[in-house]
Amino acid sequence: MKLRICLAGTALAAWIPFTSFGDLCPPGYYSADGLLPGVPAPPGYFVNSSGATNPTPASPGTFVAANGAVSATPAPLGYYCPVSGMSSAVPAPPGFYVPTSGATSLTAAPAGTISPTSGASGASSAPAGTYAPVAGL
């Protein structure tokens, strides 16, 4: 067994692994200078490369739900993300629907159709014997 003696006045950095200083922040993390230690990107933001100095907000139509994400997720059918930096997708309210993934807006159910549930991806014909005279029912 070899012992190393650290003399007073010698650099302590020689005893600390190189990964502690000077390494780039990994994807999902960022810092003011892009070096470790970094902080995870907050929900609504992501970092897709090493050495980032700022997180990127999720674009409209996408969201980021967790800390430390490396990419954004498109809003699923029936949901939309109208602005950047969203941490969750918004379900279409009753009377509206979202027919595509990655949507930034919703569509009102046309007259003669209904969309009675939250998070609908389409509208259906009004049931026989019912009346749906305006959009958004």
Side-chain angles (χ1 to χ4, degrees), residues 17-25 33-37:
F18 180 69
T19 56
S20 296
F21 296 103
D23 283 350
L24 297 176
C25 288
D33 59 5
L35 302 176
L36 289 174

Short mmCIF file of all heavy atoms in Angstrom, two decimals, residues 17-25 33-37:
data_model
loop_
_atom_site.label_atom_id
_atom_site.label_comp_id
_atom_site.label_asym_id
_atom_site.label_seq_id
_atom_site.Cartn_x
_atom_site.Cartn_y
_atom_site.Cartn_z
N PRO A 17 -10.99 14.30 -8.04
CA PRO A 17 -11.09 13.78 -9.41
C PRO A 17 -11.40 14.90 -10.42
O PRO A 17 -12.12 15.83 -10.12
CB PRO A 17 -12.26 12.79 -9.34
CG PRO A 17 -12.40 12.47 -7.90
CD PRO A 17 -11.91 13.67 -7.13
N PHE A 18 -10.86 14.75 -11.62
CA PHE A 18 -11.03 15.76 -12.66
C PHE A 18 -12.50 16.03 -12.98
O PHE A 18 -12.87 17.13 -13.33
CB PHE A 18 -10.30 15.33 -13.93
CG PHE A 18 -10.44 16.31 -15.05
CD1 PHE A 18 -9.81 17.55 -14.98
CD2 PHE A 18 -11.22 16.03 -16.16
CE1 PHE A 18 -9.95 18.48 -16.00
CE2 PHE A 18 -11.35 16.95 -17.18
CZ PHE A 18 -10.73 18.18 -17.10
N THR A 19 -13.37 15.05 -12.81
CA THR A 19 -14.78 15.23 -13.14
C THR A 19 -15.45 16.26 -12.24
O THR A 19 -16.54 16.70 -12.53
CB THR A 19 -15.54 13.89 -13.03
OG1 THR A 19 -15.35 13.37 -11.72
CG2 THR A 19 -15.08 12.91 -14.08
N SER A 20 -14.83 16.65 -11.17
CA SER A 20 -15.43 17.63 -10.28
C SER A 20 -15.29 19.06 -10.79
O SER A 20 -16.07 19.92 -10.43
CB SER A 20 -14.80 17.55 -8.89
OG SER A 20 -15.07 16.30 -8.32
N PHE A 21 -14.29 19.35 -11.59
CA PHE A 21 -14.06 20.70 -12.07
C PHE A 21 -13.79 20.69 -13.57
O PHE A 21 -13.05 19.86 -14.06
CB PHE A 21 -12.84 21.33 -11.37
CG PHE A 21 -13.03 21.50 -9.89
CD1 PHE A 21 -12.42 20.62 -9.01
CD2 PHE A 21 -13.81 22.51 -9.39
CE1 PHE A 21 -12.59 20.77 -7.64
CE2 PHE A 21 -13.99 22.66 -8.03
CZ PHE A 21 -13.38 21.79 -7.16
N GLY A 22 -14.36 21.62 -14.28
CA GLY A 22 -14.06 21.80 -15.69
C GLY A 22 -14.83 20.95 -16.67
O GLY A 22 -14.71 21.16 -17.86
N ASP A 23 -15.62 20.00 -16.21
CA ASP A 23 -16.41 19.19 -17.14
C ASP A 23 -17.67 19.94 -17.53
O ASP A 23 -18.25 20.70 -16.76
CB ASP A 23 -16.80 17.87 -16.50
CG ASP A 23 -15.65 16.88 -16.47
OD1 ASP A 23 -14.62 17.15 -17.09
OD2 ASP A 23 -15.80 15.84 -15.79
N LEU A 24 -18.13 19.70 -18.75
CA LEU A 24 -19.35 20.31 -19.25
C LEU A 24 -20.57 19.73 -18.56
O LEU A 24 -20.59 18.54 -18.23
CB LEU A 24 -19.48 20.08 -20.75
CG LEU A 24 -18.41 20.70 -21.64
CD1 LEU A 24 -18.64 20.28 -23.09
CD2 LEU A 24 -18.43 22.21 -21.52
N CYS A 25 -21.58 20.56 -18.36
CA CYS A 25 -22.86 20.05 -17.87
C CYS A 25 -23.40 19.08 -18.90
O CYS A 25 -23.32 19.33 -20.11
CB CYS A 25 -23.86 21.18 -17.70
SG CYS A 25 -23.53 22.28 -16.33
N ASP A 33 -21.78 29.09 -16.75
CA ASP A 33 -20.62 28.94 -17.63
C ASP A 33 -20.66 27.62 -18.42
O ASP A 33 -19.73 27.29 -19.15
CB ASP A 33 -19.31 29.05 -16.86
CG ASP A 33 -19.17 28.01 -15.76
OD1 ASP A 33 -20.04 27.12 -15.64
OD2 ASP A 33 -18.18 28.10 -15.01
N GLY A 34 -21.72 26.83 -18.28
CA GLY A 34 -21.85 25.57 -18.99
C GLY A 34 -21.07 24.42 -18.37
O GLY A 34 -21.05 23.33 -18.92
N LEU A 35 -20.44 24.68 -17.23
CA LEU A 35 -19.62 23.66 -16.56
C LEU A 35 -20.30 23.14 -15.31
O LEU A 35 -21.15 23.80 -14.71
CB LEU A 35 -18.25 24.25 -16.20
CG LEU A 35 -17.43 24.82 -17.35
CD1 LEU A 35 -16.15 25.47 -16.83
CD2 LEU A 35 -17.10 23.74 -18.37
N LEU A 36 -19.89 21.93 -14.90
CA LEU A 36 -20.39 21.36 -13.64
C LEU A 36 -19.93 22.21 -12.47
O LEU A 36 -18.88 22.83 -12.55
CB LEU A 36 -19.86 19.93 -13.48
CG LEU A 36 -20.45 18.89 -14.41
CD1 LEU A 36 -19.73 17.56 -14.22
CD2 LEU A 36 -21.93 18.72 -14.19
N PRO A 37 -20.67 22.30 -11.40
CA PRO A 37 -21.96 21.65 -11.21
C PRO A 37 -23.06 22.45 -11.88
O PRO A 37 -23.02 23.67 -11.91
CB PRO A 37 -22.14 21.64 -9.70
CG PRO A 37 -21.42 22.86 -9.24
CD PRO A 37 -20.26 23.02 -10.19
#
